[in-house]
Amino acid sequence: MTHSNDSAWFAPKRFGLGSGLPIAWQGWALLAAHVALIFAGLPLAEHSHAAFAAYAIVVGCTPLPLYAAKTRGGWKWRWGERD
């Protein structure tokens, strides 16, 4: 079964909950921007570790609904079976 026409940006994880690796350029772009935004907050760590922790939590969690929406099959617990 081919999935080339769906709008998924991420493959599902085989075990557990969440997204696997990106399978489309949009997924790679989102992941790169997400990591870049987290690293952009590193100067906050020089002033306050608590401020950086708060920044990292907010920036880290904000795009999670988009990751879930763009994962093939959505987020659900998987036990290793193929969908």
Side-chain angles (χ1 to χ4, degrees):
M1 181 166 124
T2 181
H3 297 287
S4 61
N5 292 336
D6 66 3
S7 62
W9 295 355
F10 298 93
K13 290 176 71 172
R14 188 158 181 207
F15 293 94
L17 178 71
S19 298
L21 289 174
I23 56 174
W25 70 266
Q26 295 96 331
W28 286 107
L30 176 62
L31 183 62
H34 193 187
V35 170
L37 280 173
I38 291 171
F39 278 108
L42 279 175
L44 285 174
E46 293 178 9
H47 303 291
S48 169
H49 293 287
F52 176 71
Y55 172 83
I57 289 169
V58 170
V59 171
C61 293
T62 300
L64 291 182
L66 184 56
Y67 282 106
K70 292 298 187 175
T71 298
R72 182 174 291 142
W75 278 8
K76 62 182 177 182
W77 191 266
R78 291 181 169 83
W79 294 99
E81 297 91 21
R82 299 270 180 194
D83 283 342

